[in-house]
Amino acid sequence: MDHVDHILIVDDDREIRELVSGYLQKNGLRTSVAADGRQMRSFLEANAVDLIVLDIMMPGDDGLVLCRELRAGRHKAIPILMLTARTDEMDRILGLEMGADDYLAKPFAARELLARINAVLRRTRMLPPNFQISEAGQLLTFGDWRLDTVARHLLDKDGTAIALSGAEYRLLRVFIDHPQRVLNRDQLLSLTQGRDAEFFDRSIDLLVSRLRQRLGDDAREPTYIKTVRSEGYVFSVPVEISEPRR
């Protein structure tokens, strides 16, 4: 029997829950609903889901709190699509920073929600098994560089800190957590968990270029991040892990 994707809709608005659930069911998905964090937790204790549609603005624990909780617990692998108010840009950014895989602003078209759900599921399933970011509290050493995952500092061989943007840091973490493995653009988009409406595949190329500049990597003959034609990128140096000194 073919697998039918199971979507959990977490929203305190009953009308939205019913409308979204009905539309997704008509389009071949299985759905369940929860009105708040308590119901969501209870449901996940006894049921497996393939993706969570999570509203931000809810009484009690809001969507940001629940997203952070999901990413820190045993359900951290479940993709999350967050629903936000159109004007809450900061909430959208915070949601992506906390690990949401995508977002959609209210009011939204049900057809677009379905398309985004399918896109997130497709990207997630392109990842090889056991792809996870290593836990914080480590010093990651590669070549002439070290990355302190507590302070989020990139340190050169002399111990000088190099500033990284949030997007550069996330991309570097992905590369050094998965060295010597070819990653395509869709995988990098999913693993960095920073995709928004303006974040498109080729922007990964620009971000790789910026990261190479931070590392002093020659794009024509790179040492750290090599291009694999028609496939993606590979972090080509070994990585050593140790506890940072304090």
Side-chain angles (χ1 to χ4, degrees):
M1 182 176 180
D2 292 338
H3 174 76
V4 177
D5 288 321
H6 187 186
I7 312 301
L8 176 60
I9 303 155
V10 185
D11 197 308
D12 65 311
D13 188 318
R14 185 177 65 180
E15 183 177 359
I16 289 179
R17 292 197 306 270
E18 292 176 352
L19 287 173
V20 169
S21 179
Y23 183 82
L24 296 182
Q25 288 179 18
K26 288 179 181 178
N27 284 274
L29 298 174
R30 178 186 171 198
T31 64
S32 298
V33 298
D36 53 29
R38 181 185 60 80
Q39 290 186 12
M40 180 195 79
R41 296 183 192 100
S42 177
F43 186 84
L44 290 176
E45 284 299 314
N47 301 274
V49 301
D50 296 287
L51 181 142
I52 298 173
V53 176
L54 181 60
D55 185 35
I56 285 185
M57 296 298 294
M58 293 189 295
D61 291 336
D62 64 20
L64 295 175
V65 170
L66 296 176
C67 181
R68 182 171 61 237
E69 178 183 311
L70 288 165
R71 284 294 173 256
R74 65 186 183 90
H75 302 296
K76 61 184 177 182
I78 301 176
I80 299 171
L81 190 154
M82 301 202 77
L83 302 179
T84 74
R86 186 173 298 277
T87 57
D88 290 341
E89 181 177 358
M90 184 54 66
D91 282 347
R92 172 179 64 83
I93 294 171
L94 286 172
L96 293 171
E97 289 286 345
M98 289 178 182
D101 296 272
D102 203 351
Y103 84 99
L104 186 60
K106 293 181 177 181
F108 56 85
R111 184 176 180 181
E112 181 178 3
L113 174 62
L114 176 63
R116 286 180 177 269
I117 287 172
N118 287 331
V120 170
L121 290 171
R122 183 172 61 252
R123 293 200 308 267
T124 302
R125 286 164 183 165
M126 289 182 67
L127 304 179
N130 300 322
F131 257 41
Q132 296 180 357
I133 298 297
S134 63
E135 296 300 323
Q138 296 174 333
L139 193 66
L140 308 174
T141 303
F142 52 97
D144 293 330
W145 297 95
R146 292 171 294 157
L147 184 70
D148 187 330
T149 62
V150 174
R152 292 197 169 200
H153 287 162
L154 177 64
L155 307 169
D156 66 15
K157 60 183 177 180
D158 297 319
T160 303
I162 307 299
L164 295 175
S165 70
E168 290 166 349
Y169 173 81
R170 290 194 300 273
L171 182 61
L172 180 58
R173 282 293 305 275
V174 167
F175 277 130
I176 63 183
D177 278 8
H178 307 102
Q180 290 146 355
R181 299 185 72 166
V182 177
L183 303 175
N184 63 38
R185 292 181 180 87
D186 279 339
Q187 290 171 333
L188 291 171
L189 287 169
S190 295
L191 287 165
T192 53
Q193 297 180 345
R195 189 170 200 165
D196 61 29
E198 291 79 38
F199 203 60
F200 52 94
D201 288 359
R202 287 294 172 181
S203 65
I204 282 291
D205 298 331
L206 300 176
L207 190 55
V208 167
S209 178
R210 283 164 41 193
L211 187 54
R212 280 174 169 161
Q213 292 176 21
R214 302 290 193 200
L215 297 173
D217 223 2
D218 186 342
R220 291 170 296 183
E221 296 182 4
T223 299
Y224 297 99
I225 305 172
K226 295 184 181 295
T227 301
V228 181
R229 186 177 297 276
S230 301
E231 292 190 46
Y233 298 99
V234 60
F235 196 74
S236 59
V237 298
V239 178
E240 296 180 358
I241 302 174
S242 61
E243 294 298 323
R245 296 178 180 176
R246 290 288 177 252

